[in-house]
Amino acid sequence: MMPTKSVAKGLFVALVLCLLAAAFFVGLLSYGELRALRAPQEDSGWAILQLGLEHERLRFAAATGESEKDVKLRGEIFLSRVKLVRDSPIFAEVRASALKEKLGQLFGIARETEALIDGLTPATRVQFQERLDADAGFIRQLTLDMSSLNRSLLADARKRRTMLLYNYFIVLELVVFSVLALAVFALRTNRKVISMSEDLQRQSATNHAILSSVDDAIVGIGAERRVLYSNPKAAELLGEWLRTGVLPSVAEAGHTALTAGIIALMDQQQPAASPSGLTGHSKVSSLFKGLKRVYDLKLYRPPQGATGLSDSSVVITITDITDAEEAAEKREVYDARIADVSRLMSYAVISGGIVHEISQPLAAIKNHLHTLKVATATEQARERRAAIVDSLAEEVDRAIQVVRNVRQLEVGDPEEAGVCALDEAIGHAIRLVSIGQKPPPDIKVISDGKGAVAAASLPLVSQVVVNLLNNALSASASSGRRGAEISVDAKGEEAEISVADFGSGVSPDVAARLFTPFTKSAHGGMGLGLAISRRIVDNVGGSISWRNRETGGAVFTIRIPLAHKEKS
Amino acid sequence: MAIVVLALLAVIARPSWSCTLPEPAGEVILTVDGQIGACNATGEARFDLAMLEELPRKTVKSENPWEEGVQSYEGVLLRDLMAFVQASGKAASFLALNDYRADIDFADFERYDVILAYKRNGEYMPVREKGPLFVVYPFAERPELKSELRYAQSVWQVARITVR
């Protein structure tokens, strides 16, 4: 569109300039001629008459016996007339006309007459007279011919003058037209006019687009709640009051919830804030043909001065979003189902590991029972039996813990969190780890966080610490070292429990899968421990992290929220 | 009685007394009559070529429809001539040899250098050359004078000037 517009504009200007140029040239061409015509014309007709007249007078003078002097004078006068015809510019056209030959004859006669006049004596007088008589008829006729020719030449001159005047009229009209055209053109290309018309175009295009949108119902409300315009969909939805042409100020009994929603939106609109003019938005459930539908109402107030509409007019769009709402509900249901499925998936994964986890304490229990049986049979010291029973109990606890922890993984709520003293938890964990280990593992407690109370139950905390300690001891052993270090740092809202090993640290490829269930590490051990530990710690609102130490080995740190110190 | 008659005669013969102009020696080519003061005949002032040539000369360039191109005319300024004959009228009427007549206001004599020419391009004009005397407007010097009126007033073959 734009290139064509520019081309059209260019052509138009070019055309106007051509017209002006044409006018200029016509004016130029005509001017010279008009000037010539406007120059005063000596009346050549009168001179022609004089020619004939003077010849007659000469004849008369010669015939009536006037003195030679007078005859000569008359002759001179006649000759001067002939010379006029012969030499004067005013007779140029006549000389060049069809009378050229006859004029040649006249000039011949004049020459002879001149000679006779110059040599006039009484003796030659008669001859002179006769000569004059002979020429008289010719001269008379010639005079008449010249007269009529002159008349027609004058008429032609008059016509030419009229034509030139016409030319000038044309030139004037061309100039005026060109000036007008340029003025109109200038006005049209005036930015203001263009932008105004573009604004109007845009506005009407917008209006058209809005109104022709079929899916949404659109209503325009003007001053005094009068309906300015509405589209067919709006008539469908709002039929009962739309036909009256006025939006009701209060929702009455017969009105739908949709109408009530519109009224409410109208009442609560504020001055336009957004550039689109959106000043009101609400969702309304309403019955339509007996079905429950959900509508999204939007109220637009056009920005100030943007259109020719008055300030109080607004546009309301009603979009039927029932389907969208249903889809959203379904999605929520699907989301829940997907979560369940993923839990079930992880159960499946976990159940295999449970067997592994349980088998350890169960095996230990079996050993202890056997030892107890032996001890009881052989009446060994009561203390020894008691110690074995204690160990048994601890192993049972451990087995129970495994189950509990798995349940933690599936349920995932912290309702069994409870509280515990960290130093007790650490001690319990160390004991658990040391069961059946000969020699007992070398676990150094750097600090036990005396007095700190964690917002998590003892079994949970000790399970996690046991897991970390076991991993650390395995890591150290695989590097030919023994033992682990544990330190507790209770500060502020959290307690940090760090377990360090003397192994070779966590390699990068293992690091990525560290917390993934059943990722077997190179130095054996539970593939489940860290996954469960992370789950437990997350559930109580803490976190677990690790890093490789510069001095060798890795250190795993769990952070657990501290409970309010109720114990002294 | 004789004194009365003499007085009457004086009154009657008055014109002869104020005619102080010399008589023309050569052929009379111009006669000025009408409301004039100077004269050399009864109510007339007659001039020959010599007398006109004695008056202050003026040369004007003119072009007119009867000649091709610009011509140089020499003659006496008409205002000078009118002053010479002590003209007391408002206009001069020019009569040509063929009885053509045209009038010119004295105001025009004052405004423009209108001359009564006796030479064209340095040569005297015979009658057949529109002489001996030609009323010439300075058309070449004053092109705005080129109009039908002035052309009609450019009388040639002037024989008589009557002051009115």
Side-chain angles (χ1 to χ4, degrees), chain A residues 50 76 80-81 88 114 118, chain B residues 65 97-99 128 148 157:
Chain A
Q50 284 289 302
E76 294 271 334
S80 71
R81 291 292 157 193
S88 165
E114 191 176 8
D118 288 340
Chain B
L97 285 169
N98 66 339
D99 300 331
R128 66 185 74 167
E148 302 255 11
Q157 293 169 349

Side-chain angles (χ1 to χ4, degrees), chain A residues 237-275:
Chain A
L237 291 175
L238 310 169
E240 74 274 16
W241 57 265
L242 199 69
R243 279 186 224 106
T244 65
V246 180
L247 175 70
S249 33
V250 177
E252 287 150 27
H255 289 147
T256 59
L258 180 60
T259 307
I262 292 173
I263 294 167
L265 207 61
M266 280 289 290
D267 291 337
Q268 62 175 254
Q269 59 174 308
Q270 297 112 20
S274 70

Side-chain angles (χ1 to χ4, degrees), chain B residues 42-155:
Chain B
T42 315
E44 294 179 347
R46 295 185 185 153
F47 293 85
D48 60 4
L49 187 60
M51 287 168 74
L52 287 173
E53 282 186 310
E54 277 167 25
L55 295 172
R57 297 178 194 208
K58 174 81 182 163
T59 307
V60 302
K61 285 205 179 7
S62 185
E63 56 177 348
N64 53 53
W66 314 286
E67 308 292 344
E68 201 80 51
V70 179
Q71 317 289 323
S72 176
Y73 292 91
E74 189 189 321
V76 54
L77 279 167
L78 275 163
R79 55 175 174 264
D80 291 343
L81 181 62
M82 290 299 111
F84 183 75
V85 300
Q86 296 161 35
S88 55
K90 278 187 290 208
S93 186
F94 294 82
L95 183 70
L97 285 169
N98 66 339
D99 300 331
Y100 174 76
R101 185 194 296 276
D103 299 343
I104 306 180
D105 286 342
F106 277 16
D108 289 341
F109 295 157
E110 298 303 320
R111 252 201 306 263
Y112 311 114
D113 290 347
V114 195
I115 63 168
L116 190 65
Y118 40 75
K119 272 189 182 171
R120 181 173 70 228
N121 297 331
E123 289 175 11
Y124 295 110
M125 296 182 281
V127 175
R128 66 185 74 167
E129 295 293 341
K130 307 190 195 69
L133 296 167
F134 195 166
V135 175
V136 176
Y137 277 87
F139 288 122
E141 288 143 23
R142 304 282 289 265
E144 70 272 17
L145 287 171
K146 287 188 192 172
S147 63
E148 302 255 11
L149 170 69
R150 302 303 179 196
Y151 287 155
Q153 287 174 338
S154 299
V155 185

Side-chain angles (χ1 to χ4, degrees), chain A residues 35 79 81 91 108 256 268 444 491 498:
Chain A
R35 262 195 78 176
L79 286 171
R81 291 292 157 193
F91 284 104
T256 59
Q268 62 175 254
K444 189 164 162 209
K491 52 184 176 191
S498 302

Side-chain angles (χ1 to χ4, degrees), chain A residues 47-59 78-79 81-82 85 99 102-103 105-111 113 131-147:
Chain A
I48 293 166
L49 284 173
Q50 284 289 302
L51 179 78
L53 187 66
E54 288 307 323
H55 193 260
E56 281 298 314
R57 287 175 83 166
L58 176 61
R59 264 185 73 201
F78 167 69
L79 286 171
R81 291 292 157 193
V82 177
V85 175
L99 293 173
K102 289 223 176 122
L103 284 171
Q105 271 181 276
L106 172 69
F107 301 145
I109 291 168
R111 267 196 298 280
T113 313
R131 187 61 218 257
L132 289 174
D133 289 337
D135 297 334
F138 170 78
I139 288 175
R140 205 177 302 128
Q141 187 56 48
L142 180 62
T143 313
L144 286 170
D145 291 343
M146 280 172 72
S147 244

